[in-house]
Amino acid sequence: MSDALASAVVRLYEAGIPDPSVEARKLAALAEEQGVALDNLVARRATHEPFSHIAGRRAFWNHDFHVTADVLDPRPDTETLVETALSLPFDRVLDLGTGSGCILCSLLAERPSTTGVGADISGAALKVAARNAQVTQTTDRVAWVESDWFDAVEGDFDLIVSNPPYITEAAYAELDPTVQRFEPRIALTPGGDGLAPYRLIAQYGPDYLREDGYAVLEIGYDQGDSVQAMFRAAGWRDVACIPDLNGKDRVIRAKSPK
């Protein structure tokens, strides 16, 4: 191990970064790739800035997506949502709170005949999503709308997908600093019990779905029963909870009441 790499390991260890040896080697490879000093990247990671932000990308489904501090970092758990959505028929899809656009772009890339709309309240996030449409070669089949949930959305869809903010206010305060300090709060928690986005989608989603359309939504591991009950009470059909690869509740699938 070189002196520079050994120094990086020590610095990351002292900063409380998990697996400092692995992180140091990843940063060293990135420094070589970007043609920058390793010390500069280590200094950023020592603040708990996510590696994905330093690299500017995160692998998800079949692509490397652009990520910045303006969007939620794509996570492997969310691939369960993509897999569930792809088990359903759809020609036109709406992604609420699209963020990086990783869900919508992945779906459109898998189904070349489909089109979609990505809605987000953050204009900065939509700029990142537009870059990712270029990455996935779906630009000509997607529209981006700055919207507070459904407010500026028009038209009807076969499928609504969303990975909404669902962390409770109390849990947000306990998040790892890599998440809490560097990812947008608005993409992580709606405050309160974390269920407000699901209430909104359960109530207004049917107005934007074609006959027999579906909603496929990511949830927190302990929200399965609550969200299923919510959608059933609103008249949705075929409501089911799908686990992720770790066996934890992760996705709600529900068929429109109409």
Side-chain angles (χ1 to χ4, degrees), residues 29-37:
L30 183 62
E32 183 176 355
E33 173 190 322
Q34 295 183 345
V36 299

Side-chain angles (χ1 to χ4, degrees), residues 108-182:
L108 297 185
E110 293 284 344
R111 298 272 180 89
S113 64
T114 61
T115 61
V117 172
D120 203 291
I121 196 172
S122 168
L126 292 175
K127 290 179 181 178
V128 177
R131 290 184 67 193
N132 284 323
Q134 294 177 338
V135 168
T136 55
Q137 299 182 355
T138 57
T139 300
D140 60 341
R141 294 187 285 120
V142 63
W144 306 108
V145 179
E146 191 168 336
S147 180
D148 187 359
W149 297 108
F150 292 106
D151 285 356
V153 174
E154 297 180 350
D156 56 2
F157 304 86
D158 304 297
L159 177 66
I160 294 173
V161 295
S162 184
N163 178 16
Y166 55 70
I167 297 172
T168 66
E169 186 72 29
Y172 179 80
E174 304 298 324
L175 285 178
D176 185 281
T178 297
V179 177
Q180 190 184 79
R181 289 164 48 193
F182 292 97

Side-chain angles (χ1 to χ4, degrees), residues 192-250:
D193 65 1
L195 298 176
Y198 304 108
R199 296 187 182 99
L200 187 149
I201 295 170
Q203 180 177 356
Y204 296 107
D207 296 337
Y208 295 85
L209 280 175
R210 297 168 180 168
E211 184 177 358
D212 292 333
Y214 277 88
V216 177
L217 315 171
E218 182 166 334
I219 59 168
Y221 72 93
D222 57 352
Q223 295 173 325
D225 291 343
S226 298
V227 178
Q228 286 185 89
M230 186 186 304
F231 275 75
R232 290 189 178 111
W236 291 70
R237 300 169 288 158
D238 192 24
V239 180
C241 187
I242 293 92
D244 60 24
L245 290 177
N246 294 316
K248 295 181 178 180
D249 288 352
R250 186 58 58 194

Side-chain angles (χ1 to χ4, degrees), residues 35-54:
V36 299
L38 175 58
D39 283 350
N40 292 343
L41 301 189
V42 171
R44 292 176 64 180
R45 188 69 183 99
T47 69
H48 290 261
E49 182 178 1
F51 179 86
S52 58
H53 288 191
I54 299 170

Side-chain angles (χ1 to χ4, degrees), residues 1 5 9 12 17-28 51:
M1 181 182 294
L5 189 58
V9 172
L12 294 173
I17 302 299
D19 299 320
S21 295
V22 173
E23 288 284 323
R25 287 181 170 83
K26 288 168 58 180
L27 290 169
F51 179 86

